[in-house]
Structures are given as structure tokens and as C-alpha cells.
Amino acid sequence: METRELRYVVAVAEERHFGRAAERLGIAQPPLSRAIAQVERRLGAELFVRTPRGVELTDAGAVLLVEGRAALDAVAAAERRTRRAAGVDGAPSLVLVSKAGASSEVVAKLLDAYAAEPGAVDVDVVLCGPAQQEPMLRDGRADVAILHQPFDDTAGFDLEVLVTDTAQVCVLPAGHPYAARKSLTVAEVAEIPGLPLPRWPRRDGSFPSGRGVEVRDHTQLLQMVALGRAVVVLPDSVRTDLHEGHATVPVVDAPTVTTVLAWPPHSRSLAVAGLVRTASRL
């Protein structure tokens, strides 16, 4: 299969509509329909069920959507990482992606230690919103990523554990009645009157339905908490980022959060290897 055909399949699968997919791809609908039909004939499998409102994925189509995304990500990653390794856009560099406002102390220590190593290259730090690090690492926009288990998808990556936070706290507005509690459970946090849990964006940028405020980064989240619009459970280390508008209460049954450095297992980058060695020593 050609990458062009995979892009066509992925576009139709994501848009659930040939017309919208054609517009997104910048082509006319008839050539798109013919290309999809040709792929289906070659595979001997129906990928889409045509309906009056658009299309629905078959089981085979759902498989090709997942595999197609992975293949396209791999092609894009190969190009981006090769250009970076060759210094096409400047000196050779390493791109590290991390969630904005999270693990800032850990990242700072790691970068300082790596910069002191012989042969260290420049590290470009990209700060992103929640759940964006993993796709950036898969499609080559980043060489390494700071991820947080169990919340981020680490499947398929090699990992070096940086920090394990066993203690979790509920962050809520200072002066709230629940701030006087000695401890809380996860279930109790979810039911605090007037303080809903926030809603984070999905990978496609959309938000799940619900009554909580929409937040895109750590800074925005803490401000919403201070304004009495949200409550959240975070690692105890977040205390260093809080101010007088916040209060914390231990959450006794919250899951352990493990911060890891992640990279693709097939990576042969000397810069990545150097950063990983530095992380393993810290």
C-alpha cells in the first residue's frame, strides 16, 4: 500500500464522510471513492459501510485505521528524526516534550546534568497540553518524552523511571469546607459539592461531555481551582507550585504516579542514549 492510500483511508475513517474527507485532503470526492474501492479490492475486505449519513467502519476498517495511523506516524518520524540527526535545520539537536507545568523540577535537574556531559547536544524543550506528549513521540516531533503512568500511554516505548510519587493530594480552594478534612478518598473527591473534576481534551482536541471546566494545561487548572471552579488530585510534589489560594488534603487511595523518560525502542541516536544514561544516574 502507498502512504497516499493510507492517508485516504485514515481521513475517511476519521471524518466518517467521503465529502468531508475529500475536502480535508484537498481532492475531489470521485477520485477518493475510487481509491478506497481499489484498496478494498486489493485487500479483499470491506473497510466502510456506506450509509445515507456517511460511513461506518467495519472490523477490518477499524484495524486498518489503527495500523494506518501507526504507519504514517512512522514515516513522518523517520523523516523528522533523520533531518534532526543531520542538522538539516541547524546544528544536531534533541527534542524533549513534557506536559506544561508538570515535573518541572525533574526536567530542570535532568537537563542541567545532561548539559554537563561531554558531547551533549542542544535540547529543545517543547511544553504541551495533557496527552500530547505520546503522539508527538510516536510521529517524530520529539525524540524523548516525559510521561506519567498510569495516565499516559507508554506502550511500545522504552522507559527509564525518574520519580515515583506514592503520595497524592486533593488540591482545592483555600477556605473550602473540605480543606479542613484530615484525608479524602478518590470517591469523596469526585462528590465534593460545587467543585467538579476538570475535563481534559482528548487526543483529537475535543472534550468529553460533563459539568467540569475545560482545561488545557497545568497552569490553567491551578487557576481554576483557586477560583473555586474545580478540584483535582495531583502528586504531593505539586505543593511547590501552589500559593495561598490553594489548600491540599491527602487522598488515601489514589494511584501511584510514576514519571518516566520514554523513547522509541528502535532509536539509534547517540544524543538519546546520552540523555538516558544521564537519567539513569540521577
Side-chain angles (χ1 to χ4, degrees):
M1 295 184 66
E2 299 178 7
T3 54
R4 172 183 59 86
E5 295 173 320
L6 285 177
R7 290 190 183 95
Y8 288 1
V9 170
V10 169
V12 174
E14 291 180 343
E15 298 293 341
R16 296 292 202 272
H17 193 277
F18 275 90
R20 290 195 297 269
E23 183 178 355
R24 164 176 155 181
L25 293 164
I27 63 174
Q29 183 173 336
L32 175 60
S33 298
R34 289 194 296 270
I36 296 295
Q38 183 178 1
V39 171
E40 290 178 319
R41 285 195 299 272
R42 189 185 309 141
L43 293 175
E46 187 179 38
L47 302 176
F48 303 102
V49 176
R50 282 70 170 174
T51 71
R53 301 183 59 182
V55 298
E56 295 295 334
L57 283 169
T58 64
D59 290 344
V63 170
L64 187 55
L65 172 60
V66 174
E67 298 289 348
R69 281 171 171 164
L72 292 173
D73 282 351
V75 171
E79 179 181 350
R80 288 170 175 145
R81 292 193 177 110
T82 300
R83 290 175 64 86
R84 269 202 302 278
V88 171
D89 301 317
S93 63
L94 189 68
V95 177
L96 180 148
V97 62
S98 180
K99 185 168 64 176
S103 306
S104 54
E105 185 177 355
V106 171
V107 173
K109 287 181 178 179
L110 175 60
L111 294 179
D112 286 346
Y114 174 68
E117 293 291 328
V121 303
D122 291 337
V123 179
D124 295 329
V125 179
V126 178
L127 300 179
C128 65
Q132 293 179 358
Q133 314 99 290
E134 173 256 329
M136 291 181 68
L137 185 56
R138 293 194 192 280
D139 69 14
R141 285 176 288 170
D143 299 295
V144 289
I146 303 294
L147 301 178
H148 303 87
Q149 297 174 319
F151 306 111
D152 294 321
D153 180 9
T154 60
F157 296 134
D158 281 348
L159 307 173
E160 179 72 29
V161 174
L162 301 178
V163 177
T164 298
D165 288 292
T166 56
Q168 308 292 308
V169 295
C170 171
V171 184
L172 64 167
H176 190 278
Y178 273 61
R181 298 280 294 270
K182 297 296 184 183
S183 65
L184 291 166
T185 65
V186 170
E188 287 173 332
V189 171
E191 298 298 329
I192 294 179
L195 290 179
L197 292 167
R199 288 181 293 141
W200 298 98
R202 302 185 182 95
R203 180 171 179 174
D204 63 5
S206 65
F207 286 87
S209 59
R211 63 190 183 93
V213 295
E214 297 178 355
V215 294
R216 296 186 178 276
D217 58 50
H218 191 75
T219 301
Q220 184 183 24
L221 168 64
L222 293 182
Q223 186 172 358
M224 285 296 182
V225 172
L227 291 173
R229 297 293 187 271
V231 65
V232 67
V233 175
L234 294 171
D236 184 72
S237 56
V238 76
R239 292 177 187 269
T240 58
D241 298 328
L242 303 182
H243 55 73
E244 64 274 7
H246 300 110
T248 60
V249 177
V251 180
V252 294
D253 60 346
T256 295
V257 176
T258 302
T259 302
V260 300
L261 182 69
W263 67 96
H266 59 268
S267 174
R268 294 297 179 269
S269 165
L270 293 178
V272 170
L275 187 66
V276 172
R277 282 196 301 271
T278 301
S280 70
R281 288 196 298 267
L282 288 178

